[in-house]
Amino acid sequence: MGYRKEEAASLFHNLPGSDSDKIAFLPFVHGSRCFCILRMVYENRRHMRFQTQFLLSAVNAAHFPTPTVPEIAFLGRSNVGKSSLLNALVGEKAAKVSQTPGRTRAINFFQLSDEKRRPRLILSDLPGYGYAKISKSISAEWPKFIEPYLAERETLRLSICLVDLNIPPQASDGKLVEWLRHLGREFLVVATKADRLSGNARTRNLAAIRSAFGLEEALPVSAKTGAGIKELWTRIEAVHQPQLQ
Ligand code: GDP
């Protein structure tokens, strides 16, 4: 007996333990039934041909790593699912670091290296912005080092803005998008927790996000089922590809 891909992903997500423990022990616990779960995990991880290494946490611009390889920033309100998405993209280490007390108010930098251990990309995980705090402008509320990072960081190639697909478009997210647009920074809006909605509601909410933020596209993703993760990798790889030649 097999599972549908989304059921398998959900089952895997809800099991306790690290991904590597699950892969090691599932065959003993569930026998051949777990085969499709492992295949699903493998398919998603195929895109993870990078080794991820935590570089540092920065609380001021002097701490930023030397700009070398292209950087991709991850931004979103607290609880939007940023740690879960980072986990789905590059593994548990990144999500754990990003949720460590003290590092939640910092920019956490992760370096992705290829098979030959050459650094290829840096992912920067920015502090989640709060619910009530954002009243005037995002840049005024954020610690001073975040604004210069987004505005001036020369190697920043793409900002991935996470918005929750399950709630109406938020003014704070709109301000961030507006600000990045004003800076002329390339950005991609990613709509999280897409698994929580059925087809119609998903389409409706995506349209609401596009319309509220003046976007041509918003990419729906689910860290829980893996939906959209491949597409997101494709977008990330498109950014770093020119540097490989
Ligand atoms: P962060 O504060 O932005 O890092 O958010 P987390 O990754 O810690 O997630 C916040 C909450 O949303 C947690 O309860 C997660 O289990 C839940 N969550 C995150 N991603 C998903 C998803 O893709 N689907 C569902 N259903 N829940 C999610």
Side-chain angles (χ1 to χ4, degrees):
M1 167 183 169
Y3 298 94
R4 280 192 308 117
K5 191 175 171 188
E6 296 221 336
E7 286 169 345
S10 177
L11 194 78
F12 191 86
H13 178 82
N14 290 324
L15 284 168
S18 70
D19 283 1
S20 52
D21 286 349
K22 290 179 208 174
I23 289 166
F25 293 112
L26 267 176
F28 297 103
V29 181
H30 291 269
S32 59
R33 278 179 173 209
C34 74
F35 177 72
C36 79
I37 303 180
L38 297 179
R39 197 175 57 187
M40 177 279 301
V41 172
Y42 172 73
E43 279 173 5
N44 276 343
R45 297 290 149 102
R46 239 183 351 182
H47 291 260
M48 293 173 47
R49 57 195 172 85
F50 297 111
Q51 287 289 322
T52 308
Q53 180 199 355
F54 168 64
L55 277 182
L56 55 90
S57 292
V59 291
N60 67 52
H63 291 158
F64 295 161
T66 310
T68 50
V69 293
E71 277 174 35
I72 305 206
F74 286 76
L75 298 127
R77 297 161 74 241
S78 307
N79 219 39
V80 70
K82 188 152 57 70
S83 302
S84 305
L85 186 65
L86 278 169
N87 188 1
L89 281 169
V90 295
E92 287 156 33
K93 202 159 112 188
K96 271 188 197 147
V97 166
S98 304
Q99 290 197 323
T100 309
R103 287 179 174 162
T104 52
R105 304 309 305 157
I107 302 181
N108 296 308
F109 291 90
F110 300 90
Q111 182 169 280
L112 271 53
S113 304
D114 64 16
E115 308 82 10
K116 293 182 178 157
R117 301 192 176 190
R118 287 175 301 206
R120 289 303 196 185
L121 271 180
I122 286 180
L123 304 188
S124 59
D125 177 20
L126 278 81
Y129 40 94
Y131 294 102
K133 280 187 190 167
I134 312 282
S135 50
K136 294 173 198 158
S137 83
I138 279 190
S139 53
E141 295 293 332
W142 270 359
K144 293 262 183 288
F145 68 103
I146 294 177
E147 182 179 340
Y149 174 78
L150 289 172
E152 294 159 19
R153 181 76 170 167
E154 61 216 81
T155 40
L156 180 61
R157 300 281 292 278
L158 177 66
S159 292
I160 296 183
C161 305
L162 277 60
V163 302
D164 192 331
L165 185 56
N166 298 266
I167 57 173
Q170 301 291 299
S172 54
D173 295 329
K175 279 178 180 159
L176 173 64
V177 165
E178 226 173 78
W179 192 58
L180 289 169
R181 199 177 271 137
H182 168 75
L183 291 173
R185 284 295 201 184
E186 196 179 331
F187 63 88
L188 170 68
V189 170
V190 161
T192 62
K193 309 182 192 178
D195 59 279
R196 286 194 183 160
L197 293 176
S198 64
N200 277 347
R202 194 183 302 183
T203 308
R204 205 172 44 238
N205 286 12
L206 270 175
I209 287 169
R210 284 197 307 268
S211 148
F213 304 151
L215 305 168
E216 280 182 16
E217 75 160 332
L219 177 67
V221 298
S222 166
K224 190 169 174 180
T225 65
I229 300 296
K230 253 187 232 175
E231 289 81 352
L232 187 50
W233 261 123
T234 303
R235 301 298 293 262
I236 291 172
E237 291 191 330
V239 162
H240 89 93
Q241 210 64 34
Q243 299 282 314
L244 291 178
Q245 284 146 17

